[in-house]
Amino acid sequence: MKKFGLIASMLATLCITTAPAAQSQELYWATSGFFGPFNIQGLIPTYPEAKQITIPVSMWVLKHPKGVVVFDTGNNVAISDSMDNCKKYWAAGNCDFLKPNQKRSDVIDMQLKKLGLSVDDVKAVVHSHSHLDHIGNIGMFPKAIHVMQKKELYQGWWPEKIQGRAVNGSFVLADIAAARDFNYLELDGEYDLFGDGTVKLIPTPGHTIGHQSMKVKLPKTGSVIITQDAVWMQENMDGYVAGLNYSVKDYTDSVNKIKMMRDLEGAQVLMSHDANQFAKLGDRWHK
């Protein structure tokens, strides 16, 4: 009996040491400033009535036992602090419509500093897609591994024509060019980032051809799905189709996938540009 007790004890120890790393994970929801106010129909043409909205530009910092992860890097630092700065870097039309309100303190390097981290502490930068408000500061992370769907690398350099191919349009070539020689993990499908099931990257195309979302398992909060632009805001979850999609069918399929994951797994859905949700859950750690 003592022998069996010893074996049981050893097995219990093994289970503890191989338990998912979620026990140590923390997730911070930051914003690279805000867009607006502007008419919601400029983003969601299917919405039945005009209303003014102001939306966050979401970025995420994940502390994992195997390293720090940043999910999206927000608007380029060059547009900070004034509309004049914006128009020197972005197309004037983007500045006039989006009305970015980004202070220098909102930029990802300063957000990390606020959390006691630096850009050099970041092991991996995961990019949902290559639009100007999501990949803007990729150039700040030359030492990190950059994780993208390979299709999206091509998308950034040569977008689908429906999304515009202007050098300074929705895809700002200067953002991507700053990181051309960086170290990339080029994905083709789902990926378990740390091999322990706690951080999974999930293709959610439609908004762009290589868009991906992230599912994170947290010890107290449970599973969360960070949609980024697969779902902008609650209005999209309610059935109003977003604009600026390369494929409405793929977009709708991705929204439905996220809804099914939510319902089957009991996961919380965190939407990149939802002002009400950010007001409740943003600018703080989730454990």
Side-chain angles (χ1 to χ4, degrees), residues 29-179:
W29 189 351
T31 183
S32 187
F34 292 82
F35 288 155
F38 53 76
N39 182 3
I40 191 174
Q41 292 170 325
L43 286 184
I44 308 177
T46 60
Y47 199 70
E49 59 189 41
K51 68 174 179 177
Q52 295 293 299
I53 58 171
T54 298
I55 60 175
V57 181
S58 294
M59 309 177 294
W60 307 83
V61 179
L62 176 69
K63 285 185 178 178
H64 186 280
K66 293 183 180 179
V68 176
V69 178
V70 165
F71 187 25
D72 283 354
T73 62
N75 306 314
N76 192 279
V77 62
I79 75 157
S80 301
D81 297 325
S82 76
M83 186 64 74
D84 286 342
N85 288 342
C86 182
K87 290 182 178 181
K88 289 175 184 176
Y89 191 76
W90 283 1
N94 286 335
C95 300
D96 289 336
F97 170 67
L98 293 172
K99 299 181 178 66
N101 179 6
Q102 174 179 273
K103 301 180 181 66
R104 180 63 183 89
S105 58
D106 295 326
V107 180
I108 187 61
D109 60 336
M110 299 305 291
Q111 294 278 5
L112 287 165
K113 185 177 181 180
K114 180 175 70 176
L115 302 177
L117 300 166
S118 73
V119 293
D120 289 342
D121 293 323
V122 177
K123 185 172 188 177
V125 180
V126 178
H127 305 280
S128 64
H129 64 300
S130 47
H131 276 164
L132 76 174
D133 56 325
H134 291 266
I135 205 168
N137 294 299
I138 183 175
M140 288 185 173
F141 298 89
K143 296 182 179 179
I145 297 171
H146 293 264
V147 187
M148 296 180 71
Q149 296 293 321
K150 188 166 186 173
K151 291 177 182 178
E152 193 64 21
L153 278 172
Y154 298 148
Q155 175 85 127
W157 284 102
W158 196 255
E160 296 294 303
K161 191 170 183 180
I162 191 174
Q163 296 217 337
R165 289 177 179 165
V167 169
N168 231 9
S170 298
F171 303 85
V172 176
L173 201 58
D175 292 343
I176 306 164

Side-chain angles (χ1 to χ4, degrees), residues 18-29:
T18 59
Q23 299 307 313
S24 301
Q25 287 200 133
E26 298 178 79
L27 179 70
Y28 191 88
W29 189 351

